[in-house]
Amino acid sequence: MATGRAHRPATRSRGIPEATVARLPLYLRALTALSERSVPTVSSEELAAAAGVNSAKLRKDFSYLGSYGTRGVGYDVEYLVYQISRELGLTQDWPVVIVGIGNLGAALANYGGFASRGFRVAALIDADPGMAGKPVAGIPVQHTDELEKIIRDDGVSIGVIATPAGAAQQVCDRLVAAGVTSILNFAPTVLNVPEGVDVRKVDLSIELQILAFHEQRKAGEVAMGDAGAVPPVAARKQQPSTDQGPDGDVPAVMPA
């Protein structure tokens, strides 16, 4: 099997839009579930619903892969699994190093979905000397002093940063200097990287804040709905004002 250092995915060279690339894992997850149920074919509408997109967008995305399905039959599930996996580079072996083995780093190390998707955790790294040698998910933790050697020996091209924010940039700089060209950042900070290095940021606090915004908006809409739920008949039963204007006339604007 080829390693991640041998060659990189062809998505950019083939001109696939980044928005489409971001949706490919959604399609792959839905297709994998269908494959596990031995479903041979799927329509664009069914697959789009399972992936959470509209069918027109799905068909457009698949056109970039050169896959158009068969009218009246749909898409071949197994072929699409292979095609998307190949496009994402998942038919290769991608050695990954995780730096920062606190609660989050340990949880990532124990995640069973990496191996099944072509990602091999090559090493776990932590700055705490007391962590050195301790097994996490069956892998002994190594000290950060070994970082460059590990990257070189294992041909690592993807690094995962799960350190505190204050240490993340220094770790990032060392990863890049050692040859890592793709970084998944869980630290709550923005990383500065040179051109040619890809960074994907996962900030759980930001995601929670976005959810809080939507919850607040939904609560506001419910409150407004409750406030405006007075029946028109009840409103008409209100007694009209008897206040008069400066000339003894009834005000021009009357209560409804």
Side-chain angles (χ1 to χ4, degrees), residues 73-256:
V73 176
Y75 294 92
D76 183 288
V77 170
E78 292 298 332
Y79 178 68
L80 267 185
V81 168
Y82 166 75
Q83 194 175 25
I84 295 176
S85 296
R86 182 189 61 187
E87 204 65 51
L88 290 173
L90 304 184
T91 55
Q92 306 173 47
D93 171 45
W94 294 98
V96 175
V97 61
I98 301 176
V99 185
I101 313 302
N103 292 334
L104 178 57
L108 293 171
N110 279 284
Y111 175 56
F114 286 138
S116 63
R117 290 166 174 82
F119 300 99
R120 173 174 57 86
V121 178
L124 305 177
I125 309 293
D126 198 272
D128 182 3
M131 288 287 293
K134 291 185 177 180
V136 175
I139 304 173
V141 177
Q142 301 182 65
H143 192 263
T144 49
D145 289 347
E146 304 295 321
L147 181 60
E148 287 79 7
K149 181 178 184 300
I150 291 168
I151 292 171
R152 182 178 64 252
D153 291 351
D154 288 299
V156 174
S157 57
I158 299 177
V160 178
I161 297 178
T163 67
Q169 185 62 57
Q170 181 182 11
V171 169
C172 174
D173 292 342
R174 290 181 63 184
L175 288 171
V176 172
V180 169
T181 52
S182 294
I183 295 173
L184 181 61
N185 177 34
F186 284 90
T189 187
V190 176
L191 299 176
N192 295 312
V193 297
E195 186 177 353
V197 176
D198 296 315
V199 176
R200 299 286 297 182
K201 181 172 174 55
V202 181
D203 193 321
L204 301 180
S205 65
I206 287 179
E207 298 303 323
L208 287 171
Q209 289 172 50
I210 292 172
L211 288 174
F213 165 80
H214 289 297
E215 283 300 310
Q216 177 176 260
R217 187 178 64 177
K218 285 184 286 188
E221 290 172 351
V222 170
M224 289 180 63
D226 292 341
V230 179
V233 174
R236 286 198 294 270
K237 289 182 180 179
Q238 295 178 3
Q239 294 298 319
S241 172
T242 57
D243 293 340
Q244 296 182 336
D247 298 323
D249 298 327
V250 176
V253 179
M254 295 288 291

Side-chain angles (χ1 to χ4, degrees), residues 9-25 27 57 60-67 83-84 86-89:
T11 54
R12 289 182 179 177
S13 62
R14 290 181 54 176
I16 299 179
E18 287 295 327
T20 296
V21 174
R23 287 188 290 269
L24 291 182
Y27 301 140
K57 184 174 293 184
K60 179 67 173 177
D61 288 341
F62 285 179
S63 71
Y64 291 110
L65 308 181
S67 184
Q83 194 175 25
I84 295 176
R86 182 189 61 187
E87 204 65 51
L88 290 173

Side-chain angles (χ1 to χ4, degrees), residues 27-41 77-78 81 112-113 116-117:
Y27 301 140
L28 182 59
R29 181 175 59 190
L31 287 162
T32 300
L34 292 171
S35 176
E36 290 173 350
R37 293 176 5 228
S38 300
V39 176
T41 59
V77 170
E78 292 298 332
V81 168
S116 63
R117 290 166 174 82

